[in-house]
């Protein structure tokens, strides 16, 4: 997971650097935006639905999957609308991930883990899954953790609450970074990108500290301390 974060971050940084220094890419981007804008003006519902569904899919696959389309959305709809639509899509994807983990993931888990151990795992984490730990887990593992919450049958209402907080934070940071990118403000863009990784890093360290102190399961490593 951490390797994927690093690779994704490096790719985003390289593409952004190319965009900032290349007048050709900037002109090409705004030409594409004009064409998409003309199409969106006549097919508003279709374009909006596509963006929401793409965001939902990205929430189930990778935290960087939405990166290519967010700048386009910001240019079309502005910061506030893009945040709302991106958040809506991510939450829908998180619901699907939870449902898959709960209703399809459990039979798969039984093929990998003995029934007795699986029951102990679910019971143990359900007793230690406090709000703070659940929120930190949601912040540290923003893409796939929904499957895990579904697998252990974590309370859906509580899951959606911590998910909304985490996704709202990342939606704001992502859209603000995209706005800085298309506004050609490199310093601001770097600041927002650093804020994203700082948030993930701090939450990860805190999550690890709490997990070690309380000897609970560390998600992502599938290993007990």
């Amino acid at each position: 997971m951490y390797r994927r974060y690093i690779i994704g971050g490096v790719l985003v940084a390289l593409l952004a650097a190319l965009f900032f220094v290349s007048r050709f890419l900037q002109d090409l981007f705004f030409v594409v935006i004009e064409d998409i804008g003309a199409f969106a003006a006549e097919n508003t519902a279709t374009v909006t639905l596509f963006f929401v569904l793409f965001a939902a899919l990205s929430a189930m696959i990778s935290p960087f999957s939405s990166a290519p389309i967010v700048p386009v959305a910001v240019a079309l709809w502005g910061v506030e609308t893009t945040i709302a639509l991106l958040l809506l899509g991510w939450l829908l994807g998180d619901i699907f991930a939870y449902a898959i983990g709960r209703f399809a993931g459990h039979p798969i888990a039984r093929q990998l883990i003995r029934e007795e151990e699986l029951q102990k795992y679910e019971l143990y984490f359900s007793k230690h899954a406090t709000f703070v730990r659940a929120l930190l887990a949601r912040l540290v593992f923003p893409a796939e953790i929904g499957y895990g919450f579904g697998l252990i049958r974590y309370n859906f209402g509580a899951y959606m609450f911590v998910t909304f907080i985490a996704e709202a934070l990342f939606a704001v940071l992502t859209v603000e970074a995209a706005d800085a990118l298309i506004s050609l403000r490199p310093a601001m863009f770097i600041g927002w990108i650093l804020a994203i990784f700082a948030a993930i890093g701090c939450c990860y360290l805190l999550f690890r500290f709490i997990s070690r102190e309380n000897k609970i399961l560390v998600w992502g490593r599938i290993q007990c301390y």
Side-chain angles (χ1 to χ4, degrees):
M1 183 201 70
Y2 313 113
R3 185 179 302 171
R4 187 167 55 182
Y5 271 117
I6 294 174
I7 294 174
V10 170
L11 288 176
V12 170
L14 289 176
L15 291 174
L18 286 174
F19 183 80
F20 281 125
V21 301
S22 174
R23 183 60 182 270
F24 170 76
L25 290 179
Q26 296 169 15
D27 293 339
L28 179 62
F29 173 79
F30 289 111
V31 168
V32 171
I33 288 300
E34 289 182 3
D35 293 337
I36 296 178
F39 177 80
E42 300 178 357
N43 302 273
T44 304
T46 300
V47 174
T48 303
L49 180 62
F50 172 81
F51 178 79
V52 172
L53 292 178
F54 190 92
L57 182 62
S58 73
M60 302 171 65
I61 299 176
S62 168
F64 296 102
S65 302
S66 300
I69 64 171
V70 173
V72 177
V74 173
L76 290 177
W77 299 311
V79 171
E80 292 80 7
T81 301
T82 302
I83 290 175
L85 293 176
L86 185 63
L87 180 58
L88 173 61
W90 281 356
L91 291 177
L92 289 175
D94 294 325
I95 292 174
F96 288 135
Y98 177 92
I100 291 173
R102 178 159 186 166
F103 300 111
H106 210 267
I108 295 175
R110 284 198 179 98
Q111 303 301 317
L112 303 174
I113 306 173
R114 288 188 304 172
E115 180 67 21
E116 298 80 7
E117 294 183 358
L118 183 60
Q119 291 177 357
K120 291 179 181 179
Y121 165 72
E122 294 176 343
L123 178 62
Y124 186 75
F125 193 83
S126 64
K127 288 183 177 180
H128 294 84
T130 63
F131 172 81
V132 174
R133 291 177 189 138
L135 178 59
L136 288 174
R138 199 61 188 82
L139 287 164
V140 173
F141 309 105
E144 297 90 355
I145 197 64
Y147 299 104
F149 276 108
L151 182 62
I152 66 170
R153 298 177 181 274
Y154 188 75
N155 180 272
F156 180 72
Y159 163 74
M160 287 306 299
F161 184 58
V162 298
T163 296
F164 176 82
I165 295 175
E167 297 291 40
L169 172 63
F170 285 113
V172 171
L173 293 175
T174 302
V175 173
E176 289 291 354
D179 182 55
L181 176 68
I182 64 176
S183 300
L184 302 180
R185 294 177 292 171
M188 187 69 70
F189 174 79
I190 293 173
W192 285 114
I193 294 298
L194 290 178
I196 292 174
F197 282 93
I200 295 174
C202 290
C203 289
Y204 170 73
L205 293 176
L206 182 58
F207 179 77
R208 291 273 297 181
F209 174 77
I210 293 176
S211 298
R212 285 181 180 275
E213 287 295 310
N214 294 279
K215 297 182 180 180
I216 68 169
L217 183 73
V218 176
W219 291 41
R221 296 184 62 182
I222 316 301
Q223 177 179 348
C224 287
Y225 287 88

